[in-house]
Structures are given as C-alpha cells and as structure tokens.
Amino acid sequence: MTEQQWIIIGIAALGIAVILGAISGIMKWYYRKKGVDGERKIHKILTRFAGIRRFRVLRGLTLPGKNGPVQVGHILIGFFGVMIVTEKNSAGNIYGTGWDKKWVRVVTKNEQEKRGSFENPVLHSQACLEAVREVLTANKIYKTSIENYVVFTSPKAVLNTERGLPVMGFKSFKKLLKREKYSADGNVDVERVAQVLLDASQKSGQ
C-alpha cells in the first residue's frame, strides 16, 4: 500500500472519529437537557406552591448519608412538614419494584423496541429521606412529618411499577399538592428546618 493510500485511510479514520464524537456529544447534551427540563418543571411547581404559603424550597443539597453523601433533588418545607421530590425524566414504559436494583425502560419506535435500565429511583429517594431525618434528629428537631416521592416528568412515561410505591407522573403530582394535608399546620418551624438542612449541606460539601 502506498504512502498516499495510508494518508487517505488516516484522514478517513479521523473523519469518522470526529463524526462519532460529535454524535456522542449531541446525545449527551440531549439527555442532559431533558434532565434539566424535568428539574425545572418540578422546581417551578414547588416554588409556585410554596410562594403563596411562606414555605421554602431547597434544591440540589448534598447531605451526609449512611453510605456517603446523598444528592437530594428538591425539598419542600412547609408547616405540614417536609416533602422530598426525586425527579426522573425518562420516557417509555417503566417497569420496576421497590427493591429492584435496576428498573427497565422500554421505548417503542418504528415498531421496534429499545430496552434500557437505570438505577432504582425509589432506593435513592429513600436514602434522601433517611438523610434528612438524620440531620433533623441531630439538631433535635423531632416529630416532623417527612415524605418522599419520585416524579416522572415526561408525558411519555407509562408507569408499570409496583403498587404502593411513592412513584407518580407529573399530573398526579400536581393533584397531590392540592390535598388539604399540605395546607395544614403541623407546627413546623419552616425557617429553622431550612437553615439546618442548608448548614448540613454546606458542611457535607466541604
């Protein structure tokens, strides 16, 4: 093979590598954007709900957990107590139980099924709840109601998950917030709880 042929092959290989790299970058951007859009949807509805009630919404905290730092997506703090929201923007048919390590996602496109898996969000959500409870207990804040939910924000998500799990779609979550219990007064000091969690997050990030 001549030197010129080797040069042509090298240029072609470089071109393919550049194209593949560009495709990979675009896909990463796409999925990252989907995740950001989902987070924004949750943050928007929580801040709107909190604003007229003098509640607090905390976002993206890192709290100490039993197995290391825990990333907590959203925390709503109100007179009723604390609500932890873990956001997922996965689309397709979602299958999983409470104790599966991985959940399955099936997307059908052009009559072809594509299967994938992701970490069980319920386990992470439970870890968030435990971390919040530990921080509050360590600061002598007791008898505070703490709830945790996993919310799939994509309208194309079809949940085929185990019954009784704190998992729901975005529309169901909006209905959940309308329940009277979240406007009830559970004698929670909103500002103190918020500050305690913020301080714990700051220390955990050091």
Side-chain angles (χ1 to χ4, degrees):
M1 189 175 291
T2 65
E3 182 179 352
Q4 186 176 8
Q5 289 174 319
W6 279 112
I7 292 174
I8 293 173
I9 292 172
I11 293 173
L14 179 61
I16 292 171
V18 170
I19 292 172
L20 291 176
I23 292 173
S24 176
I26 291 171
M27 292 303 294
K28 288 180 180 178
W29 171 84
Y30 173 71
Y31 286 113
R32 185 167 59 248
K33 183 179 183 299
K34 284 179 64 180
V36 169
D37 288 345
E39 290 175 7
R40 286 175 178 169
K41 287 177 71 174
I42 293 296
H43 187 67
K44 183 177 180 179
I45 190 173
L46 289 179
T47 51
R48 183 183 300 168
F49 181 81
I52 61 176
R53 295 171 174 82
R54 292 183 297 164
F55 291 177
R56 291 287 302 275
V57 177
L58 307 182
R59 183 180 186 184
L61 298 190
T62 301
L63 300 178
K66 293 180 180 179
N67 299 313
V70 178
Q71 298 290 330
V72 186
H74 292 86
I75 302 176
L76 172 67
I77 306 166
F79 304 131
F80 68 90
V82 177
M83 177 190 290
I84 301 163
V85 183
T86 300
E87 171 272 330
K88 294 296 294 183
N89 203 38
S90 301
N93 285 282
I94 310 297
Y95 299 90
T97 68
W99 299 107
D100 291 336
K101 289 184 178 180
K102 297 278 188 178
W103 280 14
V104 175
R105 180 173 69 97
V106 180
V107 178
T108 303
K109 189 174 183 180
N110 299 326
E111 298 184 355
Q112 291 186 340
E113 284 190 356
K114 291 186 178 180
R115 302 174 70 88
S117 63
F118 56 94
E119 297 292 331
N120 180 349
V122 172
L123 296 180
H124 176 74
S125 180
Q126 185 62 30
C128 292
L129 184 149
E130 292 172 359
V132 168
R133 179 179 288 128
E134 285 294 322
V135 170
L136 297 187
T137 300
N139 286 273
K140 298 182 180 180
I141 299 176
Y142 309 110
K143 298 181 180 179
T144 300
S145 172
I146 307 175
E147 301 179 13
N148 60 311
Y149 296 99
V150 177
V151 181
F152 282 78
T153 56
S154 172
K156 296 182 179 180
V158 179
L159 302 179
N160 303 281
T161 52
E162 181 182 4
R163 285 189 176 184
L165 293 179
V167 179
M168 64 189 69
F170 188 66
K171 287 184 178 180
S172 296
F173 182 63
K174 290 195 292 185
K175 290 180 181 178
L176 176 76
L177 289 175
K178 293 179 180 179
R179 292 184 180 178
E180 188 176 335
K181 62 182 287 187
Y182 298 116
S183 297
D185 190 351
N187 199 31
V188 173
D189 187 334
V190 174
E191 292 303 321
R192 184 184 175 211
V193 171
Q195 193 57 55
V196 161
L197 292 172
L198 286 170
D199 291 344
S201 180
Q202 186 176 14
K203 291 179 181 178
S204 183
Q206 291 177 348

